[in-house]
Amino acid sequence: SATNSLGAVDGQAEVDGLFDYLSNGTDWKSGEVDTDWNKIAFKNGKQSDINLSISGGDQKTQYFIGGGMSDVEGIMLGNELRRLNARMNLKHKISNVFTVGMNLGVSKTKIERIDNDNSFTTPLQAIAQSPISPAYTDDGEPNPNTLYPNFLLEDKYANYTTNLRRVTGKVFGEAKIWKGLKFNSDLGYDLSNTVEDQYRGILTPFMSTNGYAYNANGTSENYIFSNYLTFDTNLSDRIDLNVVAGHEFNNSERSTSSVTGTQFPSDAFTSISSAAEITRGRGGIEQYNFLSYFSRATINLYDQYFVKASIRRDGSSRFGVNNRFGIFPAISAGWIVSESSFLKDNDLFSFLKLRASYGQLGNSEIGNFASKTLYNGVSYNRSPGIILEQPGNNDLTWEKTNQLDLGVEFGILKDKISGELDFYTKNTDGLLFRVPVPGSSGQGSFNKNIGSLESRGIEVVINTKNYKNNNFTWTTNFNVAKNTNEITNLPNENADVINFININRVGQPVNTFYLVEYAGVDPANGDALYYTEGSDTETTNDFGLANRVLAGNVAPIWISGFTNELSYKDVSLSFTFVGEWGASIFNYGGIYQQTNADYFDNQTKNQLNRWQKPGDITQVPQARLYGSNGNSLSTRYLEKADFIRLRNINLGYNLPKKLVKKAAISSARIYVAGVNLLTFTDFTGYDPEARADQGDGYNTGFSFYSAPNAKTTTIGLNINF
C-alpha cells in the first residue's frame, strides 16, 4: 500500500482500480498472471555467414574476387538483417613504368527493425510493463490493456523496413618517373542509397487515422581524388630517405526526401501511393568539400635512428569564410637503443627502442553547414514565409590539438617478455561546441570555438611467452591505460556551460555530471533527503532548496584488456577480458522504476526495502502515491559503470593435414566462438556499455532502456583451397 501525496488516504481504491484494468480481468491478487515481458521482447538471435573468394595472378597481373552472404536475427523481437556483398580487386603492370588497377565493391542490405529508440512501442519498453498484464487476450490477439502500449501490437500490425545499396570503387595508377621517384594518382568513389519504408496499421497503438505510412529516400555520393609524388633514395649504404608530397580533394553530397501519408483503405494496402491524404513532404541537400596539401619526409640512419617530419594544410567548407584553412605540422623520432654498441651483447634486452613525437591535429566534426546562417521556408496560415534556423559564425574554424607522445618498446630475455610504455598529453584549443544562447534570441544555440582542454594518458602493454615446446604454446597479453581530461579555459570569464545533467567547468572533465546530491532517507518519517550546498552533513527534504554538485565522470578513467592464447597440437583456445573503471551512468529508467509510487512501471527489487515505519534505515524513501518523494533528478539514479567482461572466447581445431589433403583442401579449421558471454558489474540497467549520447555535448552518459550488446555464440568452418 502507499499513502498519497497528502498522507491522509492510503489510495488503495485507486490502485486497485488501476490493477484491475492492467490485469485484464485476471486475478492479480492471487498472482494468476506473472508475465515476464523481457522474455517476450528478447530472444535468442542467430547469424549465418558464407564467404567465398578466389585470388591469383602472375608477375604482371594479380586479381581477387570474393563475395558473401549474411543472415542475422537480432536479440530483440522484430530485428533482422540480410546482406549480400561482392568485391573485385585487379592490378596490372602495363610496363616497367606504368601500373594500373581498380577495386570494386557492391552490397545490398535489407533490415527489418523495431520502432525508434525511446518510443513507447519499442520492445525495449517491455521492462516497464506490469507483470500482472497478460501479453495476449484469450483470442490470441496482443492485449491492448497494458500500462504502456503493447509492443506486440506494433510487431504484428506494423513494419519498418530499410534497404541499403552501396557501390564503392577506386581506380589508381602509378608511374615510375625516375630512379626512386614515382607518381601516384587515385580516384575513389562511394555511392550509397537508403530507402526506408514504414507502415503502421489501424490496430497499432496511438493510431488515430486509418493507417500511417512513411517513405524516405537518401542518396550519398562521395569521391576522393588524390595525387602524390614519392621519392625513395639511399643517401649512403646505411642512410635511407623517403619523401612524399601531394594533395587530396574530397567532395561529398547527400540528398534526402521523405513523404508521409494517412488514411488507408485497409492494412492490405501499405504503399504510400494508397494513402488518401498526403500529410507531409520534406527534402534537402547537403554538401561539403575537403582540400588538403601534404608532405612528409622520413630518414632512416643505420637502421637505428628514425626521424619523420610532416606538414599538412587542410581546408574544410564546414568552417567560416574567414578561417577555413589550418596548418598542422608534426615531427617524430625513434632510437633503437639495443642496436647500440653498449647494449649489443647484453643478456637482458633483446630489443629496446625509445620514441617521441609532437604534432598538431585538426578536428572538423561539427556538421556540414555549421558556420552558415541557415533559413528555411515555412507555412504561416497557408502563406509562405521564411524562418531563421541557425545563426551563422564566419569565424568558426578548426579545433586544434597539440599532442606530445613519449614511448618505450622493449623485449627482454630473448623476447619472452615484451611490451610498450606510452605517455601522451594533448592540449586542445578552440573546442567545437553548440553554445546555448538566450531564448529571447529566438534560437537555442549556435556553433562556436570555445575554451581549451587538456588530456593526459598513460598506457602499458605487456606480452609474455609463458611456455613453448613442440606441442604446446601459451602466450599472454595485458594492457592497461589511464586517460583523464580537464577543461582549462572557457569563454565569458570561464563561465560554466550547463547542459541539463552535465556541466563544462574549468578544472573539471568534459561533460561532468551535475546533479543534486541524494542524502538517503529520514528514518523518522521516510522523507527523501538531499544535501544542501557546500555540506555533506546538512540535509533538506525540499528538493528546491538543494543545490547541484559535481557528481561523476562520463568517460572511464581506466581501461584494460587481458588476452591468453593457448594451443596444443591442432587445438587452440583464446580468450579476452576487458574492463572499464571510473565512469558513471545516469539511469533515466530508474526515475520510473524506483519511484516510490509516483509511477506504475514495473519496479526494481530495491523498492521492497522502502521505508515503512519510524526507525527504518534504508536508502529507499516511503512510497507515497503521486507524492514525488525522492524521484527528482539527483545522484540517487547515478550509478557506477565499472565492469569486467569476457569480450570473446574462441576454441578451434585444425583438421589433420592428411584428411584435408584427400579432399583437395590445403587447410580446414572448425571453431566455436563467443562474444560478451560474461559480464561482471553492479550497474542495474541492461548493459554498462549501452550509453546514450545526444551529441553536441548535450545529455551525455545516460541510459534509458538502452539496448544491450548481444551475447553471441558462433560455430564456424574455415576452408582454404
Side-chain angles (χ1 to χ4, degrees):
S1 65
T3 60
N4 67 6
S5 58
L6 299 177
V9 182
D10 66 4
Q12 190 69 47
E14 184 175 354
V15 173
D16 285 352
L18 177 61
F19 283 8
D20 288 341
Y21 167 80
L22 293 178
S23 62
N24 201 35
T26 61
D27 186 1
W28 59 269
K29 293 182 180 180
S30 66
E32 179 182 348
V33 172
D34 186 12
T35 303
D36 189 338
W37 289 95
N38 264 350
K39 286 188 176 180
I40 300 173
F42 290 93
K43 63 177 184 177
N44 292 326
K46 60 182 181 180
Q47 176 173 344
S48 61
D49 295 286
I50 299 175
N51 294 284
L52 297 173
S53 64
I54 300 173
S55 60
D58 53 27
Q59 291 184 344
K60 284 191 173 183
T61 305
Q62 295 86 45
Y63 65 88
F64 170 89
I65 300 174
M69 297 186 299
S70 182
D71 193 340
V72 182
E73 290 186 15
I75 61 172
M76 297 297 302
L77 179 70
N79 272 353
E80 297 180 6
L81 178 147
R82 291 176 177 82
R83 177 183 291 122
L84 297 172
N85 66 85
R87 170 160 291 278
M88 179 179 68
N89 300 335
L90 180 65
K91 185 177 181 180
H92 179 66
K93 185 176 181 181
I94 299 176
S95 66
N96 291 332
V97 176
F98 295 105
T99 300
V100 296
M102 65 170 290
N103 304 327
L104 178 64
V106 295
S107 66
K108 180 182 183 299
T109 305
K110 183 177 181 180
I111 301 172
E112 300 286 351
R113 66 173 182 84
I114 59 178
D115 199 0
N116 298 331
D117 289 348
N118 292 337
S119 67
F120 283 115
T121 54
T122 172
L124 288 168
Q125 193 70 31
I127 195 172
Q129 296 282 27
S130 174
I132 66 174
S133 297
Y136 297 93
T137 59
D138 292 339
D139 60 1
E141 283 292 302
N143 173 26
N145 297 335
T146 50
L147 180 65
Y148 293 101
N150 191 342
F151 60 86
L152 293 170
L153 288 167
E154 197 78 6
D155 179 68
K156 183 173 183 178
Y157 295 110
N159 62 72
Y160 301 82
T161 303
T162 302
N163 283 283
L164 298 93
R165 299 170 178 86
R166 190 172 185 185
V167 178
T168 59
K170 184 174 78 170
V171 292
F172 57 89
E174 178 184 294
K176 295 181 179 178
I177 301 174
W178 199 256
K179 182 179 180 181
L181 179 64
K182 63 182 180 180
F183 172 75
N184 289 82
S185 184
D186 302 341
L187 177 61
Y189 182 74
D190 187 344
L191 175 66
S192 63
N193 174 256
T194 303
V195 177
E196 183 170 2
D197 286 299
Q198 299 181 13
Y199 178 78
R200 301 188 65 240
I202 297 171
L203 296 179
T204 56
F206 304 120
M207 183 53 58
S208 58
T209 65
N210 291 326
Y212 164 94
Y214 171 81
N215 175 269
N217 190 304
T219 300
S220 297
E221 193 172 21
N222 182 65
Y223 68 82
I224 300 176
F225 185 45
S226 57
N227 299 276
Y228 53 96
L229 288 165
T230 303
F231 180 61
D232 274 302
T233 188
N234 304 110
L235 300 180
S236 70
D237 290 342
R238 301 190 63 186
I239 301 178
D240 301 325
L241 176 66
N242 174 271
V243 179
V244 178
H247 80 90
E248 184 174 272
F249 177 73
N250 184 358
N251 182 80
S252 180
E253 296 182 6
R254 178 170 175 79
S255 62
T256 58
S257 62
S258 64
V259 61
T260 302
T262 59
Q263 301 294 351
F264 287 78
S266 77
D267 286 350
F269 299 86
T270 61
S271 172
I272 195 75
S273 62
S274 298
E277 182 179 357
I278 300 299
T279 58
R280 190 177 187 185
R282 301 194 69 177
I285 298 177
E286 290 190 28
Q287 181 180 16
Y288 78 88
N289 304 121
F290 196 89
L291 178 63
S292 299
Y293 301 93
F294 57 88
S295 64
R296 65 176 181 268
T298 304
I299 188 167
N300 176 351
L301 303 175
Y302 311 113
D303 289 331
Q304 185 177 356
Y305 305 98
F306 305 88
V307 179
K308 181 179 179 180
S310 66
I311 187 168
R312 298 180 62 95
R313 185 173 187 264
D314 296 326
S316 174
S317 63
R318 292 172 171 172
F319 296 127
V321 294
N322 299 334
N323 291 294
R324 283 184 171 166
F325 282 87
I327 297 176
F328 307 103
I331 187 170
S332 62
W335 174 26
I336 301 180
V337 185
S338 54
E339 290 296 316
S340 301
S341 58
F342 60 86
L343 280 180
K344 199 71 171 175
D345 298 321
N346 82 95
D347 296 327
L348 179 62
F349 286 102
S350 48
F351 182 79
L352 181 62
K353 180 180 180 181
L354 304 179
R355 47 182 167 77
S357 65
Y358 182 81
Q360 189 174 76
L361 308 171
N363 175 33
S364 63
E365 296 304 312
I366 195 173
N368 292 335
F369 299 132
S371 66
K372 302 294 186 182
T373 301
L374 300 180
Y375 296 90
N376 201 359
V378 296
S379 173
Y380 179 75
N381 196 22
R382 296 190 179 181
S383 296
I386 297 175
I387 187 174
L388 175 66
E389 286 199 341
Q390 175 182 284
N393 181 0
N394 287 333
D395 293 321
L396 189 72
T397 189
W398 291 87
E399 177 181 298
K400 296 181 179 180
T401 298
N402 295 299
Q403 180 167 340
L404 171 67
D405 291 276
L406 302 174
V408 178
E409 299 177 33
F410 62 88
I412 59 178
L413 303 176
K414 297 182 179 180
D415 285 343
K416 287 185 177 180
I417 301 175
S418 61
E420 300 178 32
L421 174 64
D422 289 278
F423 167 80
Y424 78 86
T425 178
K426 296 194 297 184
N427 290 281
T428 303
D429 188 51
L431 299 169
L432 293 170
F433 271 104
R434 291 189 63 84
V435 181
V437 297
S440 58
S441 67
Q443 301 296 310
S445 61
F446 79 112
N447 297 308
K448 188 178 180 180
N449 297 95
I450 65 166
S452 56
L453 174 72
E454 181 180 75
S455 302
R456 294 178 180 271
I458 186 169
E459 181 175 3
V460 178
V461 178
I462 302 293
N463 305 302
T464 60
K465 298 177 180 178
N466 305 317
Y467 188 83
K468 183 177 182 180
N469 62 22
N470 292 334
N471 294 322
F472 180 73
T473 61
W474 173 25
T475 62
T476 297
N477 169 272
F478 173 75
N479 64 80
V480 62
K482 181 183 181 182
N483 300 280
T484 60
N485 68 81
E486 177 184 326
I487 296 173
T488 55
N489 182 46
L490 286 172
N492 302 324
E493 299 181 350
N494 290 328
D496 294 340
V497 179
I498 300 173
N499 296 319
F500 199 47
I501 63 172
N502 304 107
I503 187 172
N504 288 313
R505 173 179 289 179
V506 170
Q508 299 298 324
V510 172
N511 291 321
T512 296
F513 285 109
Y514 193 50
L515 295 159
V516 167
E517 187 174 6
Y518 183 63
V521 177
D522 188 335
N525 56 21
D527 285 351
L529 299 177
Y530 307 94
Y531 288 110
T532 57
E533 182 180 16
S535 173
D536 57 1
T537 57
E538 296 183 10
T539 61
T540 177
N541 62 359
D542 187 344
F543 184 81
L545 297 179
N547 290 279
R548 294 203 271 181
V549 298
L550 304 173
N553 296 322
V554 169
I557 297 175
W558 293 92
I559 58 175
S560 182
F562 180 65
T563 299
N564 280 271
E565 296 183 356
L566 303 95
S567 65
Y568 177 73
K569 294 184 178 180
D570 291 322
V571 179
S572 61
L573 172 67
S574 65
F575 59 89
T576 298
F577 284 92
V578 297
E580 293 184 4
W581 299 268
S584 297
I585 298 179
F586 188 80
N587 187 359
Y588 261 118
I591 295 174
Y592 303 96
Q593 293 184 301
Q594 303 172 38
T595 64
N596 318 304
D598 252 34
Y599 300 96
F600 287 89
D601 293 52
N602 192 23
Q603 298 293 290
T604 54
K605 290 181 180 179
N606 64 3
Q607 292 293 292
L608 298 174
N609 300 324
R610 68 191 183 280
W611 185 97
Q612 297 184 63
K613 64 182 185 303
D616 284 350
I617 305 300
T618 179
Q619 290 294 306
V620 183
Q622 182 189 26
R624 297 174 185 170
L625 189 62
Y626 310 129
S628 298
N629 187 25
N631 64 345
S632 301
L633 299 180
S634 74
T635 58
R636 181 186 176 195
Y637 302 110
L638 190 66
E639 302 184 33
K640 292 297 185 182
D642 300 347
F643 72 88
I644 296 175
R645 168 167 279 172
L646 178 59
R647 178 68 75 201
N648 56 64
I649 184 169
N650 188 299
L651 176 64
Y653 174 65
N654 295 319
L655 297 181
K657 292 183 179 180
K658 291 182 179 180
L659 178 63
V660 298
K661 188 176 181 180
K662 293 180 179 180
I665 297 173
S666 61
S667 65
R669 180 175 183 267
I670 187 171
Y671 65 91
V672 179
V675 178
N676 300 326
L677 296 186
L678 294 174
T679 301
F680 306 94
T681 182
D682 291 330
F683 178 59
T684 60
Y686 281 135
D687 189 340
E689 288 190 287
R691 307 170 201 171
D693 187 344
Q694 297 295 83
D696 298 329
Y698 287 87
N699 294 357
T700 62
F702 69 91
S703 173
F704 186 59
Y705 306 151
S706 301
N709 287 300
K711 294 182 179 180
T712 304
T713 303
T714 304
I715 299 175
L717 175 66
N718 293 331
I719 299 176
N720 294 314
F721 294 92

